[in-house]
Amino acid sequence: SGRSIAPLKLQHQLKKMRDEVDIAGRLQLYEFLDIIPLSTHTSNISIQGELNSGTAKDGQMLYKIDNFYNFLYTQDDKIKTQLEKDYKALISRAIRAGQPPKTKERGKIIESTAQNRKAHRNGIKK
């Protein structure tokens, strides 16, 4: 029921914001709030689970394990890996097509981010 963002996506967004931040090396609350719409609800992230129930046994009465990945990594690691994979696929499709990546409501997010920054800067100058 939380939100998460791919580390690579966050890194790219912070690079874009680098010239526009008020204090170099620090992210202000309003700047952080501009990043939240780019994140994904964890409930919307689909991660492949176990293939068996986890209690299935083979002919020798040993537990079957279809994928060690399910046991070796935490749910947060699985989410991070899936988000990274999805974001890299999005970028590679955009590069092959020769156009910028199209994310959900990307234009609206960019527009609202720019408006928030202008409003904040105008509030500081007054």
Side-chain angles (χ1 to χ4, degrees):
S1 65
R3 296 181 77 92
S4 187
I5 187 169
L8 185 61
K9 185 175 185 178
L10 178 62
Q11 181 183 0
H12 287 168
Q13 184 61 30
L14 292 175
K15 281 181 182 178
K16 289 178 189 175
M17 295 172 61
R18 182 176 39 204
D19 296 334
E20 300 173 2
V21 295
D22 288 337
I23 301 172
R26 290 194 140 179
L27 197 62
Q28 302 299 314
L29 177 63
Y30 70 92
E31 294 165 340
F32 172 75
L33 294 175
D34 290 341
I35 294 173
I36 291 176
L38 301 173
S39 63
T40 306
H41 285 280
T42 52
S43 59
N44 294 341
I45 301 169
S46 61
I47 299 172
Q48 292 186 4
E50 296 179 28
L51 297 178
N52 63 36
S53 65
T55 58
K57 294 183 180 182
D58 64 5
Q60 298 176 341
M61 298 306 290
L62 298 174
Y63 288 102
K64 292 181 181 180
I65 298 176
D66 293 325
N67 186 353
F68 278 110
Y69 180 78
N70 291 321
F71 297 100
L72 297 177
Y73 296 98
T74 64
Q75 184 69 13
D76 290 340
D77 287 336
K78 293 175 190 177
I79 289 173
K80 181 184 91 169
T81 303
Q82 185 64 41
L83 286 172
E84 278 291 308
K85 194 183 304 180
D86 293 345
Y87 187 66
K88 286 178 181 179
L90 179 75
I91 289 174
S92 65
R93 279 195 310 264
I95 289 171
R96 277 187 259 130
Q99 44 189 288
K102 293 181 180 178
T103 58
K104 294 179 184 174
E105 302 179 10
R106 184 173 185 265
K108 291 179 185 177
I109 292 170
I110 292 170
E111 184 179 317
S112 68
T113 301
Q115 290 173 353
N116 289 343
R117 286 192 187 118
K118 285 180 186 177
H120 178 75
R121 287 195 177 122
N122 290 338
I124 290 176
K125 291 177 185 177
K126 289 183 181 178

